[in-house]
Amino acid sequence: SVEVIRRSAEHLSGLIDGLLDISKIEAGRLHVYSNEINIQDFLDQIVDMFRLQAQAKGLEFRHTRAPSLPQYVRTDEKRLRQILVNLLSNAIKFTASGYVSLDVGYRMQIATFSVSDSGSGIPPSDLDHIFEPFVRGEVERSRFTPGLGLGLTITKLLTETLGGDIRVTSTVGEGTVFMVR
């Protein structure tokens, strides 16, 4: 049907965009634009968007923000948005009940973004490979979840391109925390 063709085209288009992003990053050709942005407004927009998505799925959306976080920071707004959108979308997608949370810390001019959830967690065998391209975890394979398996690869590469790092901890049956510095 036309719908299947359209979905397949979108899937392929997403795949190509993802691979182009990865190859640009790996070739060092991804331009990082560092502008002064109003981080408070930026975070308000992200929180509003994902609070609605979480509520639509019956999840609680939690958010905390360090009082010390300034009004303006220098960063690549587009890339930071892509990182947070990838992590929060995943958290909502893989959490059946409970909550998804975005916590923003700020110490010694370094911001930390923690995205945590009360989802099913990631088995240790999958955690080791979670940032590799096309890797899809046990849960995804058994329950055909749409996705390309590129989101976390791109998220890690973008984080490193911005001079940061990303870590993940997870407990099966309890949930997962992604921390971006």
Side-chain angles (χ1 to χ4, degrees), residues 89-135:
S89 311
N90 275 357
I92 289 172
K93 180 159 81 170
F94 296 113
T95 303
S97 64
Y99 70 88
V100 167
S101 162
L102 170 64
D103 300 297
V104 184
Y106 189 76
R107 278 188 60 217
M108 293 157 68
Q109 299 194 320
I110 292 177
T112 312
F113 302 90
S114 295
V115 174
S116 45
D117 64 59
S118 59
S120 53
I122 303 160
S125 57
D126 287 339
L127 265 188
D128 296 341
H129 308 287
I130 198 157
F131 294 111
E132 291 169 18
F134 305 117
V135 168

Side-chain angles (χ1 to χ4, degrees), residues 10-26 30 79 82 86 133-134 148-155 157-158:
E10 280 171 7
H11 183 80
L12 275 175
S13 171
L15 190 59
I16 291 164
D17 287 348
L19 289 170
L20 285 173
D21 273 354
I22 290 172
S23 63
K24 274 189 208 155
I25 295 167
E26 289 184 335
L30 187 84
R79 309 286 175 220
Q82 202 174 348
N86 278 349
F134 305 117
L148 304 170
L150 287 175
L152 287 175
T153 306
I154 292 169
T155 302
L157 289 168
L158 285 175

Side-chain angles (χ1 to χ4, degrees), residues 98 145 163:
T145 310

Side-chain angles (χ1 to χ4, degrees), residues 4-73:
V4 172
I5 294 168
R6 190 183 60 76
R7 273 206 312 269
S8 301
E10 280 171 7
H11 183 80
L12 275 175
S13 171
L15 190 59
I16 291 164
D17 287 348
L19 289 170
L20 285 173
D21 273 354
I22 290 172
S23 63
K24 274 189 208 155
I25 295 167
E26 289 184 335
R29 282 203 313 274
L30 187 84
H31 298 296
V32 174
Y33 301 100
S34 183
N35 295 320
E36 195 162 270
I37 69 160
N38 184 327
I39 190 77
Q40 303 286 350
D41 287 356
F42 169 87
L43 286 170
D44 288 345
Q45 288 167 14
I46 297 253
V47 167
D48 289 346
M49 180 165 81
F50 284 99
R51 178 168 281 136
L52 284 173
Q53 280 189 33
Q55 284 170 348
K57 200 177 165 183
L59 301 172
E60 178 193 350
F61 188 86
R62 301 175 182 173
H63 173 61
T64 63
R65 198 178 298 182
S68 58
L69 187 71
Q71 184 84 26
Y72 294 95
V73 299

